[in-house]
Amino acid sequence: IEPNRIIPIIDDFHFAKHKEKHINSLEKYPMHLIIVDDIFSLNFRDESLLESYNKFRIKEFGPVLRNKLIEKWIGLTESDPILDKNKLYKELDNTTDLVNSTLGKVFSSGIMPSYPFFILTILSTHETFEKPLDQEITSQGYCYQALIYLYLRRNGVKNDEVDTYINFLTEFAYFLFSNLKVELNEMEFNKFMEGYLIKFNLPVKPDVLLRNLQQTRIITIDSFGNFAFGYAYLYFFFVGRYLAEHMSDNKKTIDRILNNLHVNSNAYIAVFISHHSRNSYVLDEIILNSMCLFEDFAPTTLSKEELSFFDDKLDIIVKAALPNKTSSPEREREMRLKAQEEIESLKENDLGEEASTPKEDDPIFTLAKDLRRSVKTVEVMGSILKNRAGSLEKVMLENVFLEAMNVHLKILSSFFEIIKDENQQSDIVDLLSLRIEEVIKDKPKMPDHEQLVKISKSLFWNMNFSVTYGFINKIIHSLGSDKLYSIIESVCDRERTPAAFLVKHGIFLWYYKNLQIDEITNRINDDGFSDTAKRIMRFMIANYCSLHPVSYKD
């Protein structure tokens, strides 16, 4: 066969001896592929050898490719050949929630790289999950644990040695955490090792243990000689494990973490503590903290009496529209995934946001911090709810759900307090008019002052509606789960407010693909149901119809 028809592919080239010799021997093949480890660099004396090569790096999967991979997984594992499309979408959406949550996309740009290996391990571990009865770790926590066991076993670590490695990594993580470090230099690492060997027996030779941890990339040593965890999720997993196992000795530390959940690293650690322990202390503290957020405001009900000022403006707020006959759920989902892809690619990993220290007396900073803390607290509560749906008592599940929902409803109350003030409205409309005028000043046809004010009012009230709809949607996705049907129904029916009704049916729509038309029709025609809440419900239903197959008759 002619060499130009052959494309050699060499995997694990970083293990080869006499690399330059092999590179020279490959020259007769115009196209060839050499695969090396991601921390490996080809340092050749003759640098010209590599000049003709194009270099590529595997990118993480964004929302579009994650969706395709999950779709294929469901297609392989779903045994029912006549499963209808909406049941498939239910499986797809709930599995996507699981994957995004495990990757850490809920709080920031993530703590686990979204490579196919990690995604498929999450899926397979979750599907075949069978934990021993005496094991406290949650099913999602077990996904992380399975990955760690997989690394160690693949590198030849024996079953009876795994506990030693886990203990070593737990102590190493806490040493980093307690010293406010993300990495240790050689002297600091030696100091940690000295303390560890005084405290614990180490049946594995230290150099063997370290070599195995390096080869699995659980621990990395960079070219500057610094020791660190290879992936962020490993660090959070083991810090959470340490604090869960030593809770009584670390209550002050845990309280500090729970009081500052607006910091992503604290949010991750809190969730991992809950993965490792059934102790109610963490959850009790989070509930108490949530009650203090926006405590000067009562949760909004979205009732007619409360939102009369908003209902008066509904004629200038955009109306919901059912999808037209040319649209399809597949096309709409693809568009939204692409939009999400752009957002995700712009996100910077903000695990180190603690470094940002604006002035504490700045009211804008204080508000932003309170908002962020509130949103993150609800995300943590939602994560615990979903992971402990079968192991927390019903009373506790209902209490957590209610308090978490009320956090966002109190934020909305504070928002309404601002926008219903006519002086505030006038000031913001004037500001918007000035900005619009600045933006369009070079256009040939300039609107007069009256038209500018009309445009600004429309923009102002549509933004207000978007914020309201957005917070209801945030509650639905932060707290919704296909495992909490009776809990959600019980809490929302007991509250019996338009806001709780929207949350309940929003969750039923997304997580159960269930649209209860008669109940919705009867309830939104109650006297106490605001027109604004009705409009939100219409948007929720239109959104559902855009993303799911609905027959023409229905």
Side-chain angles (χ1 to χ4, degrees):
I1 302 174
E2 290 295 318
N4 62 1
R5 294 180 60 204
I6 299 172
I7 302 176
I9 302 173
I10 306 176
D11 196 7
D12 289 339
F13 187 70
H14 49 283
F15 291 132
K17 295 176 181 176
H18 313 299
K19 296 181 180 67
E20 290 192 38
K21 177 185 169 185
H22 293 307
I23 291 289
N24 283 317
S25 70
L26 288 167
E27 280 187 344
K28 64 180 178 180
Y29 303 104
M31 302 286 285
H32 53 270
L33 182 64
I34 297 170
I35 302 167
V36 297
D37 185 78
D38 61 346
I39 58 170
F40 180 79
S41 62
L42 293 166
N43 295 315
F44 292 158
R45 286 190 296 274
D46 183 0
E47 292 183 5
S48 63
L49 283 175
L50 290 178
E51 285 178 359
S52 62
Y53 284 84
N54 291 316
K55 297 177 183 67
F56 299 92
R57 185 183 184 89
I58 297 172
K59 287 178 70 175
E60 293 184 35
F61 273 19
V64 173
L65 290 178
R66 290 203 296 270
N67 183 74
K68 285 184 180 178
L69 188 62
I70 294 167
E71 278 184 339
K72 288 188 179 240
W73 175 266
I74 292 169
L76 287 171
T77 57
E78 186 49 66
S79 57
D80 187 350
I82 56 169
L83 202 64
D84 73 53
K85 195 73 175 175
N86 275 335
K87 285 185 179 174
L88 281 172
Y89 276 137
K90 178 184 175 184
E91 186 77 16
L92 174 64
D93 293 335
N94 289 340
T95 305
T96 300
D97 269 9
L98 165 74
V99 169
N100 288 340
S101 174
T102 309
L103 291 173
K105 300 293 181 186
V106 174
F107 298 118
S108 69
S109 56
I111 54 170
M112 183 186 283
S114 54
Y115 294 127
F117 169 76
F118 288 98
I119 297 167
L120 291 171
T121 304
I122 292 166
L123 294 172
S124 60
T125 305
H126 182 75
E127 196 156 288
T128 59
F129 173 61
E130 292 179 9
K131 65 177 181 176
L133 291 175
D134 60 345
Q135 187 171 302
E136 287 201 332
I137 198 163
T138 64
S139 58
Q140 190 176 321
Y142 186 73
C143 288
Y144 299 104
Q145 186 163 290
L147 272 165
I148 295 160
Y149 275 60
L150 186 64
Y151 291 148
L152 295 171
R153 295 292 294 121
R154 192 173 64 176
N155 215 54
V157 174
K158 297 174 185 175
N159 275 331
D160 59 357
E161 294 176 341
V162 168
D163 185 61
T164 298
Y165 281 80
I166 296 294
N167 188 67
F168 178 85
L169 292 166
T170 303
E171 294 291 324
F172 177 57
Y174 185 71
F175 187 85
L176 286 169
F177 173 77
S178 59
N179 287 282
L180 304 177
K181 301 266 190 180
V182 293
E183 60 186 18
L184 300 179
N185 62 38
E186 189 173 0
M187 288 178 289
E188 291 168 329
F189 185 78
N190 289 339
K191 180 183 174 185
F192 159 71
M193 283 298 296
E194 286 172 16
Y196 186 86
L197 292 171
I198 291 169
K199 189 176 178 183
F200 295 101
N201 176 45
L202 189 59
V204 181
K205 289 182 179 178
D207 58 332
V208 173
L209 177 135
L210 202 55
R211 184 173 67 247
N212 284 334
L213 292 176
Q214 270 186 270
Q215 287 178 350
T216 55
R217 281 187 58 74
I218 292 178
I219 286 180
T220 61
I221 304 174
D222 64 21
S223 54
F224 302 113
N226 294 313
F227 295 73
F229 278 100
Y231 300 110
Y233 82 91
L234 294 165
Y235 168 72
F236 294 122
F237 179 92
F238 287 111
V239 171
R241 187 176 191 271
Y242 184 95
L243 292 173
E245 289 179 351
H246 303 84
M247 198 170 285
S248 58
D249 299 328
N250 289 280
K251 292 226 169 137
K252 283 187 179 178
T253 300
I254 292 170
D255 288 347
R256 178 175 53 79
I257 289 168
L258 301 181
N259 280 317
N260 292 280
L261 292 177
H262 59 286
V263 178
N264 283 335
S265 54
N266 289 338
Y268 285 123
I269 291 169
V271 169
F272 275 107
I273 294 172
S274 77
H275 282 318
H276 287 288
S277 173
R278 291 174 187 261
N279 192 310
S280 64
Y281 176 75
V282 170
L283 201 45
D284 290 340
E285 285 301 304
I286 292 175
I287 292 171
L288 284 172
N289 287 341
S290 72
M291 290 177 173
C292 299
L293 297 168
F294 288 84
E295 61 184 339
D296 294 335
F297 299 91
T300 182
T301 62
L302 300 184
S303 66
K304 185 181 282 289
E305 181 184 3
E306 195 178 87
L307 290 189
S308 58
F309 76 96
F310 213 131
D311 288 352
D312 290 342
K313 309 295 181 185
L314 274 193
D315 58 328
I316 58 174
I317 292 173
V318 68
K319 292 180 180 177
L322 289 170
N324 60 48
K325 60 185 179 183
T326 61
S327 69
S328 69
E330 291 79 11
R331 192 178 299 121
E332 183 63 30
R333 282 171 174 263
E334 187 181 351
M335 283 171 54
R336 296 197 191 188
L337 285 167
K338 285 179 179 174
Q340 186 59 36
E341 188 107 27
E342 289 180 29
I343 293 167
E344 209 167 277
S345 66
L346 292 171
K347 269 187 181 179
E348 292 182 359
N349 194 326
D350 51 356
L351 295 176
E353 74 274 53
E354 298 95 322
S356 177
T357 52
K359 292 179 181 176
E360 290 287 341
D361 57 355
D362 180 352
I364 299 296
F365 167 71
T366 303
L367 176 60
K369 182 179 174 182
D370 288 347
L371 278 170
R372 183 178 171 84
R373 185 178 165 211
S374 301
V375 170
K376 297 283 177 172
T377 299
V378 174
E379 292 286 9
V380 170
M381 293 169 86
S383 181
I384 294 172
L385 271 177
K386 295 172 189 184
N387 280 296
R388 293 287 185 201
S391 60
L392 284 173
E393 291 183 4
K394 280 187 175 182
V395 173
M396 177 61 90
L397 288 172
E398 290 180 4
N399 195 19
V400 174
F401 184 89
L402 176 62
E403 292 305 330
M405 177 172 72
N406 281 344
V407 171
H408 281 330
L409 295 180
K410 285 191 283 186
I411 295 173
L412 271 179
S413 278
S414 73
F415 176 67
F416 294 149
E417 202 63 36
I418 296 168
I419 63 170
K420 76 179 181 183
D421 183 280
E422 291 186 2
N423 290 328
Q424 293 271 26
Q425 291 175 23
S426 179
D427 289 346
I428 295 170
V429 168
D430 288 345
L431 179 64
L432 286 170
S433 298
L434 288 170
R435 288 295 294 119
I436 294 168
E437 190 173 17
E438 181 68 26
V439 170
I440 64 172
K441 64 183 177 184
D442 297 326
K443 301 287 181 185
K445 288 185 179 179
M446 281 284 289
D448 59 28
H449 178 71
E450 193 174 325
Q451 289 172 314
L452 273 175
V453 170
K454 187 177 179 181
I455 293 167
S456 299
K457 279 184 179 177
S458 175
L459 185 59
F460 174 64
W461 285 104
N462 276 284
M463 286 193 300
N464 294 338
F465 181 79
S466 294
V467 169
T468 308
Y469 178 79
F471 267 104
I472 296 298
N473 216 33
K474 189 70 178 161
I475 297 170
I476 290 165
H477 289 283
S478 296
L479 303 178
S481 170
D482 61 336
K483 304 180 190 75
L484 293 165
Y485 188 98
S486 62
I487 302 302
I488 293 157
E489 188 171 51
S490 173
V491 172
C492 293
D493 287 353
R494 193 165 61 241
E495 289 297 292
R496 195 163 171 76
T497 64
F501 186 81
L502 291 176
V503 169
K504 169 185 161 182
H505 284 279
I507 291 173
F508 288 177
L509 278 170
W510 187 254
Y511 291 94
Y512 296 92
K513 310 305 177 193
N514 174 228
L515 176 54
Q516 300 175 11
I517 294 172
D518 290 341
E519 184 179 343
I520 291 170
T521 304
N522 292 333
R523 183 73 173 88
I524 67 173
N525 287 323
D526 280 359
D527 289 340
F529 217 92
S530 68
D531 291 336
T532 303
K534 286 182 192 176
R535 183 71 60 91
I536 291 171
M537 179 59 81
R538 290 194 177 103
F539 266 93
M540 283 164 51
I541 292 171
N543 180 60
Y544 176 85
C545 293
S546 296
L547 297 171
H548 302 83
V550 179
S551 72
Y552 177 77
K553 180 181 176 223
D554 288 337

